[in-house]
Amino acid sequence: MNNPTQTMDIRRDLVALLPRLRRFALTLAGTAEDADRLVREVCSRAIQKSHHWKGEGRIESWLFSLMRTAWSDEIKKRRKTQPSSTPKAQGVVSATEISTMATSDQILLSLPSGLASVFLLVDVESFAYGEAAAILGIPEQAFAERLCSARLRLSEIAPEASERRA
C-alpha cells in the first residue's frame, strides 16, 4: 500500500516540475494541446505508480521516462486507429517560417523529430548524456549523435533568427 506521505511528496514534486514536464512534452508532441494531454496523463500515471518510485536518483528522470513511454504508447494507439495518417511531422519548417519565429521555444520545436528532446534534456535540463539517453531509451552513442545534429541545426537557425531581431 502507498505511504500517504510518499504520495503527497510525489504530488508536491509534480507541481514543482510541471513547467519542465510541459516543456519536455512539447518536444515530444509538437503541439500545446497534445503536450498538455501528455502532462496530465503522466501526472496521473506517476500518482498511480508512486509505489514504484524508490526515492533513488532524480525524480524528474523517472517522470521524463514515464512521459517518453506514455508518448510512445500514444503514437502506437494513433497508428492503430488511424493507419493511413502519421503523427505530426516536426522539423519541416521553411527558412521563411524560421525567420518569423518569435521565441526560442518555437525555434526549438522547429528541430526535426527527436532532436528537440535530446537538446532540451542536456542543454536546458542539465542531464548527463547517459541519464538523458536512458530517459529516451536510446544508446548513449546515438544520443550523442542526435545532440550533435540538434546543435548543428540550431547553429544554422540562429543567424536567421538573430537577423530578424536586428
Side-chain angles (χ1 to χ4, degrees), residues 13-28 35 38-39 42-43 58-64 67 108 117 120-128 131 135:
D13 291 342
L14 280 172
V15 170
L17 291 169
L18 280 175
R20 295 173 66 192
L21 291 170
R22 186 169 190 275
R23 189 169 45 225
F24 183 59
L26 274 170
T27 66
L28 295 172
L38 182 58
V39 169
V42 167
C43 288
R58 295 167 56 176
I59 192 167
E60 53 264 42
S61 295
W62 181 63
L63 292 169
F64 287 171
M67 185 169 290
L108 182 62
S117 299
L120 179 105
L121 288 174
V122 170
D123 290 333
V124 177
E125 298 294 341
S126 301
F127 283 99
E131 191 175 12
I135 288 170

Side-chain angles (χ1 to χ4, degrees), residues 118 129 133 138-151:
V118 168
Y129 283 26
I138 59 176
E140 197 169 338
Q141 181 63 34
F143 181 87
E145 291 169 2
R146 289 182 190 178
L147 180 60
C148 182
S149 296
R151 288 174 175 165

Side-chain angles (χ1 to χ4, degrees), residues 63-137:
L63 292 169
F64 287 171
S65 294
L66 280 177
M67 185 169 290
R68 182 198 39 91
T69 302
W71 182 245
S72 295
D73 293 347
E74 177 65 25
I75 294 297
K76 289 175 189 172
K77 284 182 203 172
R78 288 181 185 188
R79 286 185 184 147
K80 286 180 182 177
T81 59
Q82 304 166 351
S84 62
S85 67
T86 58
K88 178 186 174 279
Q90 293 179 332
V92 185
V93 180
S94 69
T96 306
E97 291 172 315
I98 290 169
S99 67
T100 61
M101 290 179 179
T103 67
S104 58
D105 290 342
Q106 291 170 319
I107 292 172
L108 182 62
L109 292 176
S110 75
L111 290 173
S113 182
L115 298 185
S117 299
V118 168
F119 180 83
L120 179 105
L121 288 174
V122 170
D123 290 333
V124 177
E125 298 294 341
S126 301
F127 283 99
Y129 283 26
E131 191 175 12
I135 288 170
L136 295 175

Side-chain angles (χ1 to χ4, degrees), residues 27-49:
T27 66
L28 295 172
T31 66
E33 183 180 321
D34 286 342
D36 291 341
R37 202 173 306 126
L38 182 58
V39 169
R40 284 191 299 272
E41 171 68 23
V42 167
C43 288
S44 175
R45 282 187 189 190
I47 291 168
Q48 290 172 355
K49 296 181 179 204

